[in-house]
Amino acid sequence: WQSVKEEAEMAEQTAGSVVFAPEAPRVKVARWLRRFRRMPIIPSIMLGVFIFVGIAAPWISPHDPLISDLRDRNTPPMLASSETSLKTVVQRLSINERSFQITLQTASLDYPGVKIGDEIEVVTKIGGPTKYILGTDHLGRDVLSRVIHGARVSLIVVTLVILVGITIGVTVGMLAGWYGGWVDEVCMRLVDIKLAIPTILLALVMVLALGQSFVLIVAVLALTIWPRIARNVRGEVLSLKTADYVGLAKVAGASTPRIMIVHIFPGLINTLIVLTTLEIGIVILLEATLSFLGAGVPPPTPAWGSMVADGRDRLAGAWWISTLPGLAIVAVVMAANVFGDWLRDTLDPRLRQLG
């Protein structure tokens, strides 16, 4: 009877408590593998390579991107194979058939004993040397070194534009969302006015009026991205300022700047991280577009957009001048967009529950 009574007392003591079994190692591994599968591995690696190359460009580029050697102009990439064609040996070239003929004097240099009328195989395009891995452009500048330094230029532009754009957008958005009324009206009308002005047109007009410069391109791109950031921040502030902890801070006598910086701004960090990642691709694409049109980073600074413009008239014979920087633009922009979408799905609680 005593043992039954002790068991009953122990049952009463533990009746209201919940006992959680320790998580098995297999469950932990499965959970981490599930998260790992959802991560954009390839876009993350591509963005990491972009950042590393942009930072270490002066140390890893094989050649100076600004020094040209006209003797090596339009040199194909290292992996490009030599091209040959069958030509007929003649005494003198005819005007209409010169692409299918070779003189006896020239042919004798490689084929001693050749006679007029023989058909020989002639190398019409030499394969790429090992000196230039990705070839050279029309001025003899190393394409790989220019692509590497172009990544550095894009990284600097993106960093400055994001910092300036986020500073303006967060300030305007927080003021509009917190104060409301005429302040909100003025801020949102400024946003509408900026969104109504085409970015390319604004950049071309400012370059025509002020001249082409690095500072100008950063200013134009910062003016392009801040309205979207301001709108998103305003919506978040309208939601956060009605939270209980904000009301308690008001009751406690906290000042408006303290409430906005200490209590509201931390709630915007997830949104800003997602917006920053998504804006990276937009900024790189806009900078490349403006450089392509001649309104971006001033030459001879290597920029991906201007490199694409340099080779657009030579695609038939020197495709690598435009193709390789163009592929770099596509890869980085796609990686940034995919990584931004993943961050948004991960940091947004509503989307995380749907997943």
Side-chain angles (χ1 to χ4, degrees):
W1 170 254
Q2 185 67 25
S3 60
V4 173
K5 186 177 180 180
E6 291 176 355
E7 290 178 1
E9 291 177 354
M10 293 178 62
E12 290 178 358
Q13 293 175 359
T14 59
S17 61
V18 179
V19 180
F20 294 95
E23 192 175 27
R26 183 181 302 176
V27 177
K28 291 183 180 180
V29 173
R31 187 175 70 252
W32 280 106
L33 287 177
R34 186 166 59 251
R35 292 181 180 178
F36 184 78
R37 284 198 302 268
R38 294 179 180 177
M39 287 181 63
I41 305 299
I42 296 179
S44 302
I45 294 174
M46 293 170 66
L47 286 179
V49 170
F50 167 67
I51 295 173
F52 170 76
V53 169
I55 295 175
W59 299 281
I60 64 175
S61 58
H63 302 277
D64 191 319
L66 302 180
I67 294 180
S68 60
D69 187 353
L70 295 179
R71 294 172 299 179
D72 293 329
R73 63 183 182 273
N74 295 331
T75 301
M78 181 179 66
L79 298 179
S81 58
S82 301
E83 296 180 4
T84 61
S85 64
L86 204 61
K87 294 191 176 185
T88 303
V89 180
V90 294
Q91 184 66 35
R92 182 180 298 175
L93 297 177
S94 60
I95 297 177
N96 297 330
E97 301 290 334
R98 64 172 50 232
S99 58
F100 304 102
Q101 297 175 345
I102 185 172
T103 61
L104 178 62
Q105 183 180 1
T106 304
S108 300
L109 297 177
D110 296 325
Y111 296 92
V114 70
K115 295 181 290 185
I116 295 177
D118 293 346
E119 290 187 345
I120 61 174
E121 219 173 273
V122 179
V123 177
T124 57
K125 191 172 184 181
I126 302 175
T130 57
K131 181 180 179 182
Y132 303 107
I133 299 177
L134 297 184
T136 60
D137 61 4
H138 62 291
L139 296 177
R141 297 172 296 189
D142 181 41
V143 172
L144 175 59
S145 299
R146 292 181 63 79
V147 169
I148 291 174
H149 281 265
R152 183 180 181 84
V153 171
S154 296
L155 183 62
I156 294 173
V157 170
V158 166
T159 303
L160 295 177
V161 169
I162 292 296
L163 289 176
V164 176
I166 282 185
T167 302
I168 300 174
V170 169
T171 303
V172 174
M174 291 184 70
L175 291 176
W178 178 261
Y179 288 105
W182 67 269
V183 176
D184 184 18
E185 197 69 23
V186 171
C187 292
M188 289 302 101
R189 294 300 75 78
L190 289 175
V191 169
D192 293 337
I193 292 172
K194 176 55 197 73
L195 292 176
I197 302 175
T199 302
I200 305 299
L201 178 61
L202 175 64
L204 293 176
V205 171
M206 293 184 69
V207 168
L208 184 63
L210 303 176
Q212 192 176 7
S213 67
F214 186 84
V215 176
L216 181 62
I217 187 66
V218 171
V220 170
L221 295 179
L223 290 175
T224 301
I225 69 170
W226 78 261
R228 291 188 293 270
I229 297 174
R231 277 191 168 180
N232 284 276
V233 169
R234 172 183 174 270
E236 291 290 332
V237 172
L238 288 174
S239 175
L240 291 173
K241 75 176 185 178
T242 59
D244 293 338
Y245 62 88
V246 176
L248 292 174
K250 290 180 181 179
V251 173
S255 62
T256 298
R258 178 177 176 81
I259 293 174
M260 295 177 69
I261 296 174
V262 176
H263 299 284
I264 291 182
F265 182 74
L268 304 174
I269 292 178
N270 286 352
T271 301
L272 293 178
I273 291 175
V274 175
L275 288 175
T276 299
T277 310
L278 293 175
E279 292 293 338
I280 289 175
I282 297 175
V283 172
I284 291 177
L285 200 57
L286 285 174
E287 184 270 325
T289 302
L290 295 176
S291 296
F292 180 84
L293 296 175
V297 179
T301 304
W304 287 344
S306 59
M307 293 174 65
V308 174
D310 289 341
R312 60 183 172 180
D313 297 329
R314 303 174 178 84
L315 287 175
W319 53 267
W320 55 88
I321 300 177
S322 289
T323 303
L324 299 177
L327 290 176
I329 295 171
V330 172
V332 175
V333 171
M334 288 187 62
N337 290 338
V338 172
F339 189 77
D341 290 339
W342 173 79
L343 269 183
R344 181 187 58 192
D345 297 342
T346 303
L347 298 178
D348 192 331
R350 293 166 295 183
L351 296 176
R352 190 164 60 240
Q353 289 174 3
L354 291 176

